[in-house]
Amino acid sequence: MTGWTIEDMPPLRGRTVVVTGANSGLGLEGSKAFARRGATVVMACRSVERGESAAAEIREAVPNATLDIRECDLADLSNVASFADSLRDDYDAIDILCNNAGVMAIPRSETADGFETQFGVNHLGHFALTGHLLDLLRAAAGESRIVTQSSGAHEMGEIDFDDLQRERSYGKWSAYGQSKHANLLFAYELQRRLGNHGWDDVLSVACHPGYADTDLQFRGPREMGSTLRTAVMGIANAVFAQSAEQGALPMLYAATADDVIGGEYVGPGGLFDMRGSPEFQQSNEASRDEETAERLWAVSTDLTGVEYDFEST
């Protein structure tokens, strides 16, 4: 995969791709790339208005883009369910689901369902969404893929089952690390369950973007009202980060490359895994702990009320 770029993506005409957080950053660049290869792209956005603005940007670059902008607020499980129901009304199958949206290092807040926001949006929202869409992914002609966006920050995360919502002790970075660690535990456990039930035509793959210049880094400082932190982050992005287009490559590779198998972890292969062309990598040992993954799955099912139906044909 040395030097792999968007130009190496296969044709996707006739395929349907769902991208969460499609209105900015990695989601926007990913949606643009999928559209350029001919896919129908469902842009799942918390704000339809921002989604429409992003779609207009994509159409400037890809005039024949087939885009479907829909509201999907991962901080509200009822909204996630409604989004999934609306797709079921209009689509017979989904070929690729990119669990991309996320929030990072924000002051503590809660979702509509009372979950700590980073854990609720980054993990639980995507856990619920994937479960709701499992039948459509199974219905795809040929292989379908579920790509879950994690982060190198998973290495500083651990799942605190005694305080999952960080009500007793909250640190914005430790909470972010927990959510990104959860993304990997989920992605790998999902692949194990798919395999155990003979769903060999559905793959679960994880990825991370390295350090990419997106708006993700700015939400925390803005919510804190810190002009200084916002300015420092802008300088850091300008000096150290790769572009959002480059940062989207691991997700695009995980979603489309021929040599990807379930349970892989794809990230940029340059300095400190922060930038560069995508490659297969290894996440930390804790993210591969099957006992923790099974426990997190059970807790996530209880919290979201979403049961995965692997018995359907």
Side-chain angles (χ1 to χ4, degrees):
M1 68 173 72
T2 302
W4 192 90
T5 71
I6 290 173
E7 300 305 317
D8 296 306
M9 290 175 64
L12 297 172
R13 190 163 304 282
R15 307 193 74 188
T16 299
V17 182
V18 177
V19 182
T20 66
N23 60 280
S24 66
L26 306 176
L28 172 58
E29 294 300 331
S31 296
K32 189 183 300 181
F34 287 128
R36 185 173 282 119
R37 305 308 286 174
T40 294
V41 184
V42 179
M43 300 175 66
C45 306
R46 184 166 62 93
S47 165
V48 172
E49 181 180 1
R50 288 196 291 272
E52 293 286 1
S53 177
E57 179 180 332
I58 293 174
R59 290 190 179 103
E60 285 187 11
V62 189
N64 61 343
T66 304
L67 307 174
D68 181 357
I69 299 87
R70 301 198 181 204
E71 180 183 0
C72 181
D73 184 354
L74 293 162
D76 184 340
L77 293 181
S78 65
N79 187 275
V80 171
S82 295
F83 168 76
D85 287 342
S86 75
L87 290 189
R88 195 169 290 104
D89 289 339
D90 296 330
Y91 293 91
D92 295 326
I94 293 171
D95 298 278
I96 299 169
L97 168 62
C98 290
N99 290 325
N100 165 77
V103 290
M104 184 178 78
I106 59 173
R108 191 183 187 283
S109 59
E110 295 185 351
T111 68
D113 304 284
F115 307 133
E116 185 275 312
T117 298
Q118 297 191 80
F119 186 70
V121 169
N122 298 354
H123 169 61
L124 291 175
H126 284 122
F127 178 91
L129 177 62
T130 305
H132 286 309
L133 297 180
L134 202 61
D135 59 335
L136 289 178
L137 288 154
R138 184 73 192 282
E143 184 183 271
S144 61
R145 296 188 190 179
I146 301 156
V147 180
T148 300
Q149 188 83 261
S150 184
S151 164
H154 81 271
E155 295 186 2
M156 67 178 180
E158 78 178 281
I159 309 299
D160 185 353
F161 287 106
D162 294 325
D163 191 20
L164 269 181
Q165 311 306 335
R166 304 288 169 149
E167 295 169 306
R168 294 196 294 272
S169 176
Y170 182 78
K172 61 184 182 180
W173 283 108
S174 61
Y176 180 66
Q178 174 180 253
S179 73
K180 294 288 102 179
H181 185 51
N183 286 152
L184 290 178
L185 290 166
F186 163 64
Y188 300 149
E189 179 64 16
L190 176 56
Q191 179 57 42
R192 282 190 288 271
R193 294 184 183 226
L194 290 166
N196 289 341
H197 287 86
W199 287 34
D200 298 331
D201 53 350
V202 184
L203 303 184
S204 173
V205 188
C207 65
H208 78 96
Y211 185 3
D213 182 12
T214 71
D215 195 56
L216 183 68
Q217 294 95 335
F218 293 96
R219 179 170 171 179
R222 286 171 182 160
E223 290 194 11
M224 294 173 63
S226 175
T227 303
L228 177 60
R229 288 173 186 256
T230 301
V232 169
M233 188 60 71
I235 294 171
N237 276 17
V239 175
F240 299 110
Q242 62 182 349
S243 67
E245 181 180 9
Q246 189 78 12
L249 289 182
M251 178 176 71
L252 295 170
Y253 192 94
T256 67
D258 288 339
D259 60 346
V260 173
I261 62 174
E264 293 280 16
Y265 181 52
V266 183
L271 185 66
F272 303 120
D273 298 336
M274 300 279 279
R275 58 193 304 147
S277 300
E279 66 172 17
F280 295 123
Q281 298 180 344
Q282 289 294 323
S283 57
N284 69 359
E285 185 176 348
S287 69
R288 297 280 184 177
D289 188 292
E290 295 186 22
E291 183 177 344
T292 303
E294 290 178 4
R295 185 178 179 186
L296 177 64
W297 189 284
V299 169
S300 300
T301 298
D302 289 342
L303 291 174
T304 63
V306 176
E307 296 271 0
Y308 279 58
D309 182 9
F310 292 104
E311 302 304 325
S312 61
T313 59

